[in-house]
Amino acid sequence: MTVSPLVEPRQRLDGQLGTGAIVFMVIAAAAPLTVIGGNVPIAIGAGNGPGAPIGFALAAVILLVFSVGFVTMTPFVKEAGAFFSYVTAGLGSRLGLGSAFTALVAYTAIQVGIYGYMGWAVDDLVTFFGGPSLPWWLYSFATMAIVAVLGYRHIDLSAKVLGVALALEILVVVVLDVVIFATGGAEGIALETFDPSYVFSGGIGVAVLFALTGFIGFEATAVFRDEARNPEKTIPRATYLAVIIIGVFYAISCWALVTGVGASNAVAVAQQTLAGEGNLLLDTTTQYLGPILRDVVQVLLITSLFACVLSFHNVIARYQFTLAQKAVLPARLGRRHASHHSPAFSSVVQTITAAVLLAVLALLGLDPLVGVFGSMAGVATVGMVLLMLTTSIAVLVFFVRRPGLAAGRSLGARVFPILSVVGLAFALWLVLSNFTLVTGGSVAVSVALALIPVAAMVIGIVLGRRFRLDTQPVEETTAD
């Protein structure tokens, strides 16, 4: 059975987001301060030690290679569906719907995980300054209420909020990096970071894995296509800038922390952080910037998490909006607000979904970091790497079937997509082979969690017999 398109005219979101605003939202979704404070100690302590910064650089290279094919195909995909629109155009409606379902599951998982992390971080901040210790989920639901209000309104408001929060957290880490390198760190600049004996040690896979986790939210550049000022130029620029800025920021900041504590002490200090006996980021900030800025960093961790969860909320609402426009989801999800021109109802539904999932996890008594954030981040990481791998294959097939469009674009249409498939297949292997480190659970629990995005993909493919996404690529003349 083929479902007919909506009878009512399709409604499109609109806006005047420039390259900077979209880059802000993508980087905000990456939560850079959260990654520096959380992922970096794991990459150092459980990964390749002083060589961990190279793991972050390699992850950025993998995503930059992916971006070339992604951007090359962008002029031929004229809708804000992100990865699933590309997969539909390249591999057909069934795999496209499977990708859409996988993305919904992945983004919903990471958003719920961040709510758990936020609840823990706010409680930690309150008790640090002498306040009462309250259940973590109270802070999580309070955050959700604020996100619901911002997500309901026009995207420009969210962009301004994210921009301010992001600028502050990046500024304080850049200041820390500059001071560490200017003073020479504990043992001088850590050149051991580039020593092959560290870089290619057995733990480099762990470093790359947690670097990739820090890039979740990468596809948001295309999700906001309808709200971009000039999408043909804005989306490619925002994609490249986001990957380069995030990758450079992660790698240099990781190197700075290794230099700050000394290459010979980096692993021990990072492992103390993992054991809860210290905090690599906050302790290093205290040493080089003083206790006041240490408190500032702890507060900015909250704003980093908030910016992250707001960005994911906006992405999920727009995914649902686009799928409703295609009659895959209920039509009401595809209506925009008359005044705010936002996917308001989709935003409300997304809030309710997140609230129900978070309530279930809270009632199960799970730890907000390991049980909620760790497990949900694991689901999201598998889902996003799987999506990017499928998208790279879709780009390659799209141009192979249309040699006329590939003319003059051989690097972006064929060479880089092939390299991307190889790199992302390797990344997926790294994720799965080290998955218990992400989830913090047993092998059985980790396997079950890893299968969730795969199951979403399979369900979408099966339902693809009933629904058609009808993503029609534009012709070359139109794209030019």
Side-chain angles (χ1 to χ4, degrees), residues 5-353:
L6 292 173
V7 177
E8 59 184 74
R10 288 187 60 181
Q11 297 179 324
R12 296 176 67 91
L13 303 176
D14 57 41
Q16 290 296 315
L17 296 177
T19 300
I22 295 177
V23 169
F24 267 133
M25 283 188 282
V26 173
I27 299 177
L33 187 59
T34 304
V35 173
I36 299 303
N39 292 32
V40 166
I42 300 175
I44 296 173
N48 56 340
I54 304 303
F56 284 90
L58 286 175
V61 169
I62 290 173
L63 293 184
L64 201 56
V65 170
F66 166 83
S67 298
V68 176
F70 182 69
V71 166
T72 302
M73 188 172 170
T74 293
F76 307 102
V77 182
K78 296 286 187 177
E79 67 175 12
F83 287 162
F84 84 76
S85 295
Y86 291 71
V87 174
T88 301
L91 300 177
S93 180
R94 294 179 64 179
L95 275 169
L97 190 58
S99 297
F101 282 14
T102 303
L104 281 175
V105 166
Y107 277 120
T108 299
I110 192 60
Q111 185 195 32
V112 172
I114 293 296
Y115 277 127
Y117 198 148
M118 172 67 89
W120 172 87
V122 175
D123 180 63
D124 184 59
L125 178 68
V126 171
T127 55
F128 178 80
F129 287 108
S133 179
L134 299 176
W136 62 268
W137 49 265
L138 289 176
Y139 298 114
S140 298
F141 282 113
T143 303
M144 190 178 297
I146 301 172
V147 169
V149 173
L150 293 173
Y152 188 84
R153 297 175 62 84
H154 195 277
I155 189 63
D156 288 340
L157 178 59
S158 292
K160 292 175 182 177
V161 172
L162 293 174
V164 173
L166 182 64
L168 290 174
E169 65 176 283
I170 287 182
L171 176 62
V172 72
V173 176
V174 169
V175 170
L176 176 62
D177 294 348
V178 170
V179 171
I180 289 175
F181 285 124
T183 59
E187 303 170 347
I189 305 300
L191 298 180
E192 291 88 343
T193 289
F194 306 99
D195 187 333
S197 64
Y198 287 114
V199 173
F200 299 107
S201 69
I204 188 172
V206 177
V208 174
L209 161 62
F210 281 95
L212 288 170
T213 303
F215 280 91
I216 294 176
F218 164 71
E219 68 165 323
T221 53
V223 173
F224 296 109
R225 180 184 182 91
D226 289 345
E227 294 152 288
R229 186 179 300 123
N230 185 355
E232 281 70 24
K233 295 182 178 179
T234 301
I235 301 305
R237 289 173 183 170
T239 301
Y240 286 131
L241 279 174
V243 174
I244 293 172
I245 292 173
I246 295 173
V248 171
F249 181 80
Y250 286 166
I252 291 180
S253 297
C254 182
W255 185 25
L257 288 178
V258 171
T259 297
V261 299
S264 64
N265 299 318
V267 173
V269 174
Q271 289 177 346
Q272 288 175 355
T273 300
L274 301 182
E277 299 172 357
N279 189 303
L280 176 61
L281 174 60
L282 295 181
D283 293 345
T284 305
T285 302
T286 303
Q287 179 182 350
Y288 288 93
L289 300 181
I292 294 178
L293 283 181
R294 184 254 189 224
D295 295 343
V296 170
V297 169
Q298 191 167 7
V299 172
L300 288 177
L301 175 61
I302 306 299
T303 64
S304 174
L305 290 167
F306 179 80
C308 177
V309 78
L310 175 59
S311 183
F312 284 131
H313 175 94
N314 286 329
V315 170
I316 298 169
R318 281 151 184 79
Y319 252 101
Q320 294 175 163
F321 179 89
T322 302
L323 288 174
Q325 293 279 311
K326 297 175 177 297
V328 174
L329 296 179
R332 191 174 179 185
L333 289 169
R335 296 173 185 168
R336 70 177 188 177
H337 194 280
S339 302
H340 301 308
H341 291 186
S342 65
F345 185 75
S346 178
S347 177
V348 171
V349 170
Q350 204 287 307
T351 299
I352 295 172
T353 302

